[in-house]
Amino acid sequence: FAFPAHFTDRGVTLERAWEQAYAKDPAGAGLEQGLLASLPAGIHPMVLLNGTAVETGKRLVTSNIRVTPRFFADAVDILQVTNADVPLSTAAHLSARFTYVSPPGVIVNAQGERWGHVVDGGYFENSGVSEILAVMRAFLDCFDDPGQCGLHDEDARSLRQRILPILLYLPNDPERLRARADVGVVPPPRYELGLNDLLSPLDALLNAREARANYAEKNAEQFVTRRMGGAYVEIGTYVDASQGVELPL
């Protein structure tokens, strides 16, 4: 069976499909625009999109803010590597390269050399809360040392008194929500004797991924409530099929 000599990368095809679908919305701003170029003037939201480096396993962050080692420990800023803006569709796809659905993305550095490959951010940590925690730590650091952020002490104190941080987390993993609801319940053995030795290492790798997400969520909750005096709100639900529960579409 011979493949055609020329074919379109299925990752590019997916991004173009998003752009075309979004263009049908009258309110759509155009996903073909660059992440940085699309920012409105003045104050605007921070966007942090996680990927995972195939070669190192590190977090690759695509963002409209500078991702520095001081606050984003052991993370790599994609836009610094490429020294170029990326379309919104590509930025979103860099953090959502679902296994086998999308191919690994190729990262080309500013010198035009192949730097590495990126896959879904969930390989490293599936909640994305780690980046929000880094941002909150940066704010707290400015309050503790105003001079490094170009603030006067009085301004920093005033801001600290007026700001109430609220972390609103919307998890989209029903299995993890169910597991957290059943905390303290010991799951029954999954395998018969013999298969346990074979499959337990794979199970541990997959479950550690979920555990890292839970760990990040708990760290963020404790930080925003205890260190910053704010609130942590988690909004999520799951359907228990055994109880015949149905949610409206």
Side-chain angles (χ1 to χ4, degrees):
F1 183 83
F3 289 97
H6 301 282
F7 60 91
T8 302
D9 181 284
R10 65 183 187 276
V12 174
T13 301
L14 179 59
E15 292 173 16
R16 297 297 176 269
W18 288 344
E19 293 171 4
Q20 292 168 11
Y22 199 74
K24 296 177 182 178
D25 184 350
L31 294 183
E32 72 283 352
Q33 294 186 83
L35 172 63
L36 301 181
S38 65
L39 295 176
I43 298 175
H44 48 261
M46 288 181 284
V47 179
L48 298 112
L49 301 167
N50 280 342
T52 303
V54 173
E55 289 77 7
T56 63
K58 293 184 178 183
R59 290 174 298 154
L60 302 180
V61 184
T62 306
S63 179
N64 58 353
I65 64 172
R66 184 66 59 88
V67 177
T68 61
R70 177 174 183 176
F71 300 111
F72 298 87
D74 209 32
V76 177
D77 188 329
I78 288 287
L79 298 189
Q80 285 193 52
V81 172
T82 61
N83 195 30
D85 201 356
V86 296
L88 290 168
S89 57
T90 301
H93 197 196
L94 285 172
S95 72
R97 289 186 171 268
F98 303 111
T99 308
Y100 300 124
V101 174
S102 298
V106 178
I107 305 299
V108 178
N109 64 19
Q111 291 72 44
E113 302 166 339
R114 181 172 294 195
W115 180 86
H117 298 80
V118 57
V119 290
D120 194 274
Y123 282 97
F124 185 91
E125 194 269 284
N126 202 33
S127 73
V129 175
S130 296
E131 313 314 329
I132 302 302
L133 183 58
V135 171
M136 290 190 295
R137 284 175 173 157
F139 275 114
L140 192 62
D141 203 52
C142 280
F143 294 146
D144 292 340
D145 186 4
Q148 67 169 335
C149 300
L151 296 174
H152 297 294
D153 289 350
E154 292 183 3
D155 294 333
R157 283 194 294 269
S158 176
L159 282 173
R160 185 69 184 89
Q161 293 170 355
R162 288 185 291 149
I163 291 178
L164 174 65
I166 300 175
L167 176 54
L168 179 62
Y169 175 51
L170 284 74
N172 63 350
D173 188 337
E175 291 300 325
R176 192 160 82 247
L177 288 170
R178 184 180 292 109
R180 290 179 65 170
D182 296 334
V183 63
V185 177
V186 179
R190 293 187 58 183
Y191 310 114
E192 299 294 334
L193 187 63
L195 284 178
N196 188 58
D197 286 355
L198 179 64
L199 298 177
S200 286
L202 178 60
D203 254 4
L205 284 172
L206 295 175
N207 288 330
R209 167 182 173 270
E210 299 302 325
R212 283 195 296 272
N214 289 333
Y215 178 73
E217 293 163 16
K218 288 298 181 183
N219 270 344
E221 179 181 4
Q222 292 175 4
F223 189 88
V224 73
T225 56
R226 299 179 185 179
R227 292 289 308 280
M228 300 192 73
Y232 176 90
V233 181
E234 182 175 299
I235 300 177
T237 185
Y238 68 88
V239 178
D240 188 346
S242 66
Q243 301 298 320
V245 178
E246 293 185 3
L247 295 179
L249 296 177

